[in-house]
Amino acid sequence: MRPASPLPTASALVAGDELTVVDCGAGVTVSLANAGLPLTMLERVFVTHLHSDHVLELGPLLHTAWTSGLSHPLKVFGPPGMREYLEHFLAAMRFDIETRIADEGRPPLGELLRLTEYGEGEVMADAGLRVTALRNIHPPVEESYALRFDFGGGPSVVFSGDTARHPPLAAFARGADILVHEAMLPAGMEKIVEKVGGGDRLRAHLKASHSTAGEAGWIAREAGVGRLVLHHLIPADDPDFSEADWLAATAESWEGPVTVGRDGLVVPIDKKREGAGA
Ligand SMILES: [Zn+2]
Ligand SMILES: [Zn+2]
């Protein structure tokens, strides 16, 4: 990570006084604080897959919420492997956690966490929120998912997760208010391959595991979403590529509203958009 370069992936969904976090790349904890979101609002955390740019700061986020005073059960949803991550994180922090329980009277952190290892299908459902998962295409990671959040009587948001072009995502995201999709710029990708060296293997990985902005636009169009938000951008911080390049690449396949992601971006959800469910 270079100075002032964009942070890895993390998103916050705020509905009423409940905070849901999707992915926990490095920087998620301070970013939530900078956004004015108290960690005691944290209700549930989802991890789309176990690559470090999505999970590295999960444990520190949960621990910091706990030391900030969170005392209600905290739901954690992740693919198989999540239990192992959490058990080892708690073990790594055992001295601190036991000390704070005894010395500060905090509730046991491990007992506050409610873990669900999920697969494809319904992940959770209650009166206020239904979450479903669709396996995506992100080799060599098999347990990698897109997630759909349908808030009760309200908006819906879909995250593609990290994925190569995956047509079933269009049906999965049908009519969503917002589709947050990962994206690459092909020209930028070639520049990265040139710069990093070892070209063919890196190029093959990027093509097999990620989507171009045009492919993200295609999914948005087929799904009839209200707005496309591009994130997990590759390249993320090359000064030779501006927002105009991202918009031009997306416009190949998508004429609707599009937002190019950046750290701290806030996207309000308009429940009354026209043309929903196209
Ligand atoms: Zn990944
Ligand atoms: Zn990633």
PDB file of all heavy atoms in Angstrom, residues 33-48:
ATOM      1  N   ALA A  33     -15.185   4.918  11.652  1.00  0.00           N
ATOM      2  CA  ALA A  33     -15.125   6.033  12.604  1.00  0.00           C
ATOM      3  C   ALA A  33     -15.122   7.360  11.855  1.00  0.00           C
ATOM      4  O   ALA A  33     -15.848   8.305  12.219  1.00  0.00           O
ATOM      5  CB  ALA A  33     -13.877   5.894  13.478  1.00  0.00           C
ATOM      6  N   ASN A  34     -14.340   7.433  10.777  1.00  0.00           N
ATOM      7  CA  ASN A  34     -14.276   8.680  10.003  1.00  0.00           C
ATOM      8  C   ASN A  34     -15.611   9.016   9.353  1.00  0.00           C
ATOM      9  O   ASN A  34     -15.894  10.182   9.074  1.00  0.00           O
ATOM     10  CB  ASN A  34     -13.193   8.588   8.924  1.00  0.00           C
ATOM     11  CG  ASN A  34     -11.801   8.632   9.515  1.00  0.00           C
ATOM     12  OD1 ASN A  34     -11.622   9.048  10.665  1.00  0.00           O
ATOM     13  ND2 ASN A  34     -10.806   8.191   8.755  1.00  0.00           N
ATOM     14  N   ALA A  35     -16.421   7.995   9.096  1.00  0.00           N
ATOM     15  CA  ALA A  35     -17.741   8.227   8.497  1.00  0.00           C
ATOM     16  C   ALA A  35     -18.777   8.598   9.559  1.00  0.00           C
ATOM     17  O   ALA A  35     -19.953   8.791   9.240  1.00  0.00           O
ATOM     18  CB  ALA A  35     -18.191   6.977   7.738  1.00  0.00           C
ATOM     19  N   GLY A  36     -18.341   8.670  10.813  1.00  0.00           N
ATOM     20  CA  GLY A  36     -19.261   9.057  11.880  1.00  0.00           C
ATOM     21  C   GLY A  36     -20.180   7.930  12.316  1.00  0.00           C
ATOM     22  O   GLY A  36     -21.253   8.183  12.876  1.00  0.00           O
ATOM     23  N   LEU A  37     -19.766   6.688  12.047  1.00  0.00           N
ATOM     24  CA  LEU A  37     -20.599   5.542  12.406  1.00  0.00           C
ATOM     25  C   LEU A  37     -20.027   4.875  13.665  1.00  0.00           C
ATOM     26  O   LEU A  37     -18.971   4.243  13.598  1.00  0.00           O
ATOM     27  CB  LEU A  37     -20.635   4.538  11.248  1.00  0.00           C
ATOM     28  CG  LEU A  37     -21.268   5.071   9.958  1.00  0.00           C
ATOM     29  CD1 LEU A  37     -20.990   4.136   8.792  1.00  0.00           C
ATOM     30  CD2 LEU A  37     -22.779   5.269  10.149  1.00  0.00           C
ATOM     31  N   PRO A  38     -20.693   5.017  14.810  1.00  0.00           N
ATOM     32  CA  PRO A  38     -20.172   4.406  16.037  1.00  0.00           C
ATOM     33  C   PRO A  38     -20.147   2.885  15.905  1.00  0.00           C
ATOM     34  O   PRO A  38     -21.101   2.282  15.395  1.00  0.00           O
ATOM     35  CB  PRO A  38     -21.185   4.828  17.115  1.00  0.00           C
ATOM     36  CG  PRO A  38     -22.080   5.834  16.499  1.00  0.00           C
ATOM     37  CD  PRO A  38     -21.975   5.704  15.017  1.00  0.00           C
ATOM     38  N   LEU A  39     -19.069   2.271  16.365  1.00  0.00           N
ATOM     39  CA  LEU A  39     -18.945   0.819  16.223  1.00  0.00           C
ATOM     40  C   LEU A  39     -19.975   0.076  17.066  1.00  0.00           C
ATOM     41  O   LEU A  39     -20.269  -1.091  16.800  1.00  0.00           O
ATOM     42  CB  LEU A  39     -17.529   0.378  16.600  1.00  0.00           C
ATOM     43  CG  LEU A  39     -16.423   0.902  15.667  1.00  0.00           C
ATOM     44  CD1 LEU A  39     -15.077   0.368  16.123  1.00  0.00           C
ATOM     45  CD2 LEU A  39     -16.696   0.523  14.227  1.00  0.00           C
ATOM     46  N   THR A  40     -20.550   0.759  18.061  1.00  0.00           N
ATOM     47  CA  THR A  40     -21.588   0.104  18.868  1.00  0.00           C
ATOM     48  C   THR A  40     -22.879  -0.107  18.063  1.00  0.00           C
ATOM     49  O   THR A  40     -23.765  -0.831  18.489  1.00  0.00           O
ATOM     50  CB  THR A  40     -21.888   0.937  20.134  1.00  0.00           C
ATOM     51  OG1 THR A  40     -22.064   2.308  19.734  1.00  0.00           O
ATOM     52  CG2 THR A  40     -20.759   0.844  21.130  1.00  0.00           C
ATOM     53  N   MET A  41     -22.982   0.548  16.883  1.00  0.00           N
ATOM     54  CA  MET A  41     -24.131   0.309  15.979  1.00  0.00           C
ATOM     55  C   MET A  41     -24.008  -1.007  15.215  1.00  0.00           C
ATOM     56  O   MET A  41     -24.943  -1.450  14.556  1.00  0.00           O
ATOM     57  CB  MET A  41     -24.195   1.399  14.878  1.00  0.00           C
ATOM     58  CG  MET A  41     -24.824   2.704  15.249  1.00  0.00           C
ATOM     59  SD  MET A  41     -24.650   3.837  13.819  1.00  0.00           S
ATOM     60  CE  MET A  41     -25.774   3.129  12.606  1.00  0.00           C
ATOM     61  N   LEU A  42     -22.813  -1.579  15.276  1.00  0.00           N
ATOM     62  CA  LEU A  42     -22.541  -2.742  14.429  1.00  0.00           C
ATOM     63  C   LEU A  42     -23.443  -3.914  14.817  1.00  0.00           C
ATOM     64  O   LEU A  42     -23.474  -4.331  15.979  1.00  0.00           O
ATOM     65  CB  LEU A  42     -21.063  -3.138  14.564  1.00  0.00           C
ATOM     66  CG  LEU A  42     -20.499  -4.132  13.578  1.00  0.00           C
ATOM     67  CD1 LEU A  42     -20.673  -3.667  12.140  1.00  0.00           C
ATOM     68  CD2 LEU A  42     -19.012  -4.364  13.879  1.00  0.00           C
ATOM     69  N   GLU A  43     -24.178  -4.402  13.830  1.00  0.00           N
ATOM     70  CA  GLU A  43     -25.148  -5.457  14.084  1.00  0.00           C
ATOM     71  C   GLU A  43     -24.686  -6.766  13.446  1.00  0.00           C
ATOM     72  O   GLU A  43     -24.843  -7.835  14.009  1.00  0.00           O
ATOM     73  CB  GLU A  43     -26.489  -5.032  13.468  1.00  0.00           C
ATOM     74  CG  GLU A  43     -27.680  -5.863  13.831  1.00  0.00           C
ATOM     75  CD  GLU A  43     -28.043  -5.788  15.307  1.00  0.00           C
ATOM     76  OE1 GLU A  43     -27.764  -4.740  15.950  1.00  0.00           O
ATOM     77  OE2 GLU A  43     -28.585  -6.778  15.818  1.00  0.00           O
ATOM     78  N   ARG A  44     -24.111  -6.647  12.245  1.00  0.00           N
ATOM     79  CA  ARG A  44     -23.717  -7.867  11.525  1.00  0.00           C
ATOM     80  C   ARG A  44     -22.614  -7.531  10.519  1.00  0.00           C
ATOM     81  O   ARG A  44     -22.546  -6.418  10.006  1.00  0.00           O
ATOM     82  CB  ARG A  44     -24.911  -8.506  10.833  1.00  0.00           C
ATOM     83  CG  ARG A  44     -25.710  -7.596   9.974  1.00  0.00           C
ATOM     84  CD  ARG A  44     -26.981  -8.260   9.448  1.00  0.00           C
ATOM     85  NE  ARG A  44     -28.100  -8.147  10.369  1.00  0.00           N
ATOM     86  CZ  ARG A  44     -28.888  -7.069  10.483  1.00  0.00           C
ATOM     87  NH1 ARG A  44     -28.673  -6.002   9.736  1.00  0.00           N
ATOM     88  NH2 ARG A  44     -29.884  -7.042  11.329  1.00  0.00           N
ATOM     89  N   VAL A  45     -21.791  -8.530  10.272  1.00  0.00           N
ATOM     90  CA  VAL A  45     -20.673  -8.381   9.342  1.00  0.00           C
ATOM     91  C   VAL A  45     -20.707  -9.557   8.368  1.00  0.00           C
ATOM     92  O   VAL A  45     -20.893 -10.706   8.786  1.00  0.00           O
ATOM     93  CB  VAL A  45     -19.318  -8.379  10.081  1.00  0.00           C
ATOM     94  CG1 VAL A  45     -18.170  -8.210   9.088  1.00  0.00           C
ATOM     95  CG2 VAL A  45     -19.270  -7.273  11.137  1.00  0.00           C
ATOM     96  N   PHE A  46     -20.547  -9.257   7.089  1.00  0.00           N
ATOM     97  CA  PHE A  46     -20.497 -10.296   6.055  1.00  0.00           C
ATOM     98  C   PHE A  46     -19.131 -10.250   5.381  1.00  0.00           C
ATOM     99  O   PHE A  46     -18.611  -9.167   5.086  1.00  0.00           O
ATOM    100  CB  PHE A  46     -21.565 -10.054   4.987  1.00  0.00           C
ATOM    101  CG  PHE A  46     -22.964 -10.247   5.491  1.00  0.00           C
ATOM    102  CD1 PHE A  46     -23.616  -9.234   6.175  1.00  0.00           C
ATOM    103  CD2 PHE A  46     -23.632 -11.451   5.294  1.00  0.00           C
ATOM    104  CE1 PHE A  46     -24.902  -9.407   6.658  1.00  0.00           C
ATOM    105  CE2 PHE A  46     -24.917 -11.639   5.773  1.00  0.00           C
ATOM    106  CZ  PHE A  46     -25.559 -10.614   6.455  1.00  0.00           C
ATOM    107  N   VAL A  47     -18.599 -11.423   5.095  1.00  0.00           N
ATOM    108  CA  VAL A  47     -17.359 -11.526   4.331  1.00  0.00           C
ATOM    109  C   VAL A  47     -17.680 -12.333   3.076  1.00  0.00           C
ATOM    110  O   VAL A  47     -18.277 -13.409   3.160  1.00  0.00           O
ATOM    111  CB  VAL A  47     -16.249 -12.192   5.171  1.00  0.00           C
ATOM    112  CG1 VAL A  47     -15.026 -12.492   4.316  1.00  0.00           C
ATOM    113  CG2 VAL A  47     -15.882 -11.293   6.353  1.00  0.00           C
ATOM    114  N   THR A  48     -17.320 -11.790   1.899  1.00  0.00           N
ATOM    115  CA  THR A  48     -17.681 -12.455   0.642  1.00  0.00           C
ATOM    116  C   THR A  48     -16.751 -13.624   0.315  1.00  0.00           C
ATOM    117  O   THR A  48     -17.166 -14.588  -0.335  1.00  0.00           O
ATOM    118  CB  THR A  48     -17.663 -11.474  -0.540  1.00  0.00           C
ATOM    119  OG1 THR A  48     -16.334 -10.890  -0.641  1.00  0.00           O
ATOM    120  CG2 THR A  48     -18.695 -10.367  -0.358  1.00  0.00           C
TER     121      THR A  48
END
